[in-house]
Amino acid sequence: MERQDLISIGAAIAIVFFLAIVVKPALTGGPDDGAGTLPALSPWQTRTAPPPPPLSEKAEMIERAYRWTGIDGGVRTWTFAVQKDLFVFYRDMPRIPYASAWGRYALSDADRPYLEALVEAVAPDRFNTPDTDYYRVMDVIFFVQQLPYACDSSTASYREGVFPPAYRGGADYPKYPVETLVDGKGDCEDTSILAAAMLDLMGYDVVLLRYSDHMALGIEMAKFSPFYADYPPKYYDYEGKRYYYVETTNYIEIIRHIDSGSGNATVIPERWGRPWSIGDTADVGLTSVQKEKPEIIPLRYVVRPRYHTIYPVPTLSLEVGE
């Protein structure tokens, strides 16, 4: 082999070595300085969830009977029946740690058939008036508002009477819609997620409104004209749209004071079924709702890159001699 050939081979090896040791770390961040290293993903990002169980007529079912008042004042009933293995599938799912991504709970795929049946039962197209769409929206809101309130930190919030595997004491445990419907109760984020899922199925643009100690729903309305609008409606502008506040927790308790004749007053809480109307916050006794600007959480969003960094590459200069 000629001396010139040996020099050429040696130069090629040197170039490869230089690219591997110098140029690649400069682009991606070398092991010495850690530059360009992506942060470790959280467990819910790295865990590969098993597929949901297929629908089957032979599967064991869980049933819960519902009875509520419709927006027209009529008492209505419906029985929710779901496959037990699907409920367990959602119950065992790890919770999403970032509230800004909680819209995913309202968009879960496997429970679509059950939510479609729920929307049909709660908000059928039964009003032959120009305001049918508004009545149907209020039917959904009123149904969700009548679900009993139960805190995440209480075992009474769960059908099994024990904390779910993914529950972490002191942290929120947002429920998938199927979980809320099987439990028959939930707190503010649970009812907001359920209402968001139902209204999204009906074609409405909704967002979650997250306050420091509360969560509610926002619904986009091109024209605000609800029948109960004897109040200044609360709304928030976001991405060129206007979203009106919707309370999804227990509807208003009307208190009667009865004078017994002895100078003492008896307080009797009654549920007359007056709904929290769209945009109405007058009776919401939370300072956060009255004064804070909430974080607006869309159900669908595009993840923006956070860790893209380009590092300068040293000028490559090699001299090959004879």
Side-chain angles (χ1 to χ4, degrees):
M1 184 178 293
E2 298 292 335
R3 180 173 179 273
Q4 185 173 357
D5 294 335
L6 292 174
I7 293 175
S8 299
I9 293 174
I13 294 174
I15 292 173
V16 171
F17 183 79
F18 181 83
L19 291 173
I21 300 301
V22 178
V23 177
K24 183 180 178 181
L27 285 171
T28 62
D32 294 336
D33 60 9
T37 303
L38 296 180
L41 297 178
S42 59
W44 73 271
Q45 291 173 302
T46 58
R47 179 179 185 268
T48 301
L55 298 180
S56 172
E57 295 180 356
K58 298 181 180 180
E60 182 180 356
M61 305 295 287
I62 298 176
E63 293 187 353
R64 176 173 286 277
Y66 280 90
R67 179 184 175 91
W68 73 98
T69 303
I71 194 65
D72 58 357
V75 176
R76 310 179 66 188
T77 60
W78 180 68
T79 299
F80 174 64
V82 64
Q83 289 185 194
K84 182 178 180 180
D85 54 0
L86 181 62
F87 166 71
V88 173
F89 168 80
Y90 280 118
R91 189 68 110 197
D92 289 345
M93 288 283 285
R95 301 298 104 166
I96 301 173
Y98 309 111
S100 57
W102 282 2
R104 297 184 184 185
Y105 290 110
L107 301 178
S108 53
D109 293 326
D111 58 4
R112 294 296 94 179
Y114 300 102
L115 291 176
E116 289 171 358
L118 175 61
V119 168
E120 181 60 31
V122 171
D125 188 0
R126 69 186 188 282
F127 299 104
N128 187 23
T129 73
D131 301 303
T132 293
D133 291 341
Y134 173 75
Y135 281 126
R136 295 187 69 214
V137 169
M138 286 305 302
D139 263 331
V140 169
I141 294 171
F142 200 19
F143 168 79
V144 174
Q145 287 174 353
Q146 292 175 69
L147 294 176
Y149 187 94
C151 296
D152 296 332
S153 57
S154 171
T155 55
S157 182
Y158 310 102
R159 174 181 180 271
E160 307 91 321
V162 296
F163 291 117
Y167 174 76
R168 299 293 180 267
D172 286 322
Y173 180 89
K175 297 177 182 178
Y176 286 91
V178 161
E179 292 181 273
T180 301
L181 291 170
V182 170
D183 292 335
K185 61 189 71 173
D187 62 7
C188 56
E189 74 261 16
D190 304 325
T191 52
S192 295
I193 289 168
L194 176 59
M198 296 174 69
L199 291 171
D200 180 77
L201 274 176
M202 294 169 64
Y204 288 92
D205 184 0
V206 293
V207 296
L208 300 176
L209 304 177
R210 183 176 182 241
Y211 299 86
S212 59
D213 59 355
H214 188 52
M215 179 167 281
L217 185 74
I219 183 169
E220 193 270 333
M221 299 179 69
K223 182 179 180 182
F224 182 81
S225 58
F227 287 73
Y228 300 96
D230 55 351
Y231 52 86
K234 182 178 283 292
Y235 60 83
Y236 302 96
D237 292 326
Y238 176 75
E239 298 290 339
K241 297 180 180 180
R242 179 158 292 180
Y243 294 90
Y244 289 87
Y245 180 97
V246 176
E247 180 59 50
T248 64
T249 54
N250 287 7
Y251 58 108
I252 300 171
E253 290 185 355
I254 298 178
I255 309 298
R256 280 186 176 179
H257 297 269
I258 300 176
D259 189 355
S260 62
S262 61
N264 298 322
T266 302
V267 180
I268 302 177
E270 292 190 355
R271 296 192 179 279
W272 284 12
R274 182 165 76 88
W276 298 91
S277 304
I278 298 174
D280 185 8
T281 61
D283 295 310
V284 179
L286 293 173
T287 302
S288 57
V289 173
Q290 303 299 335
K291 296 185 177 181
E292 292 180 6
K293 183 177 181 180
E295 175 189 0
I296 297 179
I297 303 173
L299 302 192
R300 296 170 178 84
Y301 64 95
V302 176
V303 178
R304 294 183 175 88
R306 297 176 56 193
Y307 303 107
H308 288 190
T309 305
I310 298 177
Y311 297 93
V313 180
T315 302
L316 180 61
S317 176
L318 293 177
E319 294 183 2
V320 180
E322 293 293 335

